[in-house]
Amino acid sequence: MKIKDLAIVLSGALLLQGCSAFDKHHGIDWGEGHCPAPAAEMRASGNLQIEDGKTLKCQLKPYVSNMACQGITDKTNADGVFCQNGLGQNMLFVFDEKGVLQRHGSL
């Protein structure tokens, strides 16, 4: 993990500590209007297959609906979403300016 990613994760983890059960998503711009359905090969198993360079931010919203998530931006204006499930497992998603997933991973 790069130092920049670690800084994003740590800031996201600190922000999630104050999340309530009723307001699960903080500071996330999921996009407005219509969200295109994922390509058939991205949902072949019935679940969203998350792929860097293909998955859109708006397509992730249902996937993380039961997680506590925080929108984050670093000093380079990289747009990201840091999520934590009920077991304390963390996921980081980083998007480009068009909302296309650039990289993701569990932490």
Side-chain angles (χ1 to χ4, degrees):
M1 176 182 301
K2 297 179 184 175
I3 301 243
K4 179 175 121 178
D5 291 339
L6 183 58
I8 290 173
V9 169
L10 291 176
S11 66
L14 293 174
L15 293 169
L16 283 179
Q17 289 179 351
C19 292
S20 74
F22 300 105
D23 189 14
K24 293 183 179 182
H25 296 176
H26 302 275
I28 303 170
D29 178 9
W30 292 108
E32 296 180 25
H34 175 71
C35 182
E41 67 270 6
M42 291 176 65
R43 51 187 167 83
S45 68
N47 296 318
L48 177 64
Q49 301 298 315
I50 300 171
E51 294 184 42
D52 294 348
K54 292 185 179 181
T55 305
L56 302 177
K57 187 193 294 187
C58 64
Q59 294 169 338
L60 279 176
K61 186 176 181 182
Y63 177 79
V64 298
S65 64
N66 290 323
M67 297 177 155
C69 297
Q70 173 68 46
I72 52 178
T73 304
D74 69 8
K75 65 183 178 183
T76 67
N77 290 322
D79 183 25
V81 176
F82 178 82
C83 297
Q84 186 176 64
N85 68 14
L87 300 174
Q89 297 167 321
N90 302 310
M91 291 286 297
L92 176 65
F93 304 94
V94 179
F95 304 90
D96 68 11
E97 65 280 350
K98 294 180 181 177
V100 178
L101 184 64
Q102 295 302 297
R103 63 185 185 276
H104 73 287
S106 58
L107 309 169

